[in-house]
Amino acid sequence: MTTTTTNSTNSTALSLPTVGGADILIRLSLAGTFIYHGLDKFPNIAAGAEWMGLPYALWLLVALAEIAAGAGIIAGRFIPNAIGDLTSRLSGVAIAVTMVGAIYLVHWGQWSNMPSESHPFGGMEFQTLLLATGLFFALRGNKA
């Protein structure tokens, strides 16, 4: 356990304990979301591509990218040295790119995640959180 100290204007320093490896909680949540949504596309990729108005190959790539990004965000944590860091960063980039596409194609124009008549899959509230988390790992890698 390490201690984080913050500077203060008074003479008493605030010391808060930190827990090493706590980033795994965020990684598991993010990975679970992406792996689930990637696998969920496979039962009928052609219909999903048609519904989204995207080419089959692009929709397949999205599904594979979601699965790979989810797996990579977990694997990157356990792969030592620069390879693990790069895996985490590339997975973060894949997550961010996927979420920009999802926000643009489906969720833009409504903030609330609640479904509405104009946005049957809800707004971009949750998607911006996923985008920001992906960008965090893209920028910080394993130094999270």
Side-chain angles (χ1 to χ4, degrees):
M1 185 178 287
T2 59
T3 302
T4 302
T5 304
T6 59
N7 292 332
S8 176
T9 55
N10 57 22
S11 61
T12 306
L14 176 64
S15 295
L16 301 172
T18 61
V19 177
D23 64 298
I24 196 68
L25 299 172
I26 295 170
R27 288 174 186 266
L28 287 172
S29 174
L30 188 60
T33 299
F34 271 79
I35 292 170
Y36 168 79
H37 284 279
L39 291 174
D40 192 49
K41 288 175 177 58
F42 275 99
N44 203 344
I45 290 197
E50 183 179 331
W51 183 81
M52 289 297 295
L54 296 173
Y56 176 88
L58 181 57
W59 195 240
L60 177 62
L61 182 63
V62 168
L64 293 173
E66 287 174 339
I67 295 166
I73 214 74
I74 295 295
R77 174 68 168 77
F78 297 103
I79 298 171
N81 304 321
I83 300 297
D85 186 65
L86 182 61
T87 302
S88 291
R89 289 176 187 269
L90 290 176
S91 297
V93 168
I95 288 167
V97 168
T98 301
M99 293 320 303
V100 166
I103 289 168
Y104 176 76
L105 291 172
V106 180
H107 304 283
W108 187 258
Q110 178 175 311
W111 179 253
S112 171
N113 205 41
M114 296 300 295
S116 68
E117 193 172 307
S118 65
H119 292 79
F121 290 98
M124 58 188 186
E125 182 178 12
F126 180 60
Q127 287 68 25
T128 58
L129 178 61
L130 294 174
L131 170 61
T133 307
L135 288 173
F136 175 81
F137 282 108
L139 297 171
R140 297 282 306 198
N142 284 349
K143 292 166 186 59

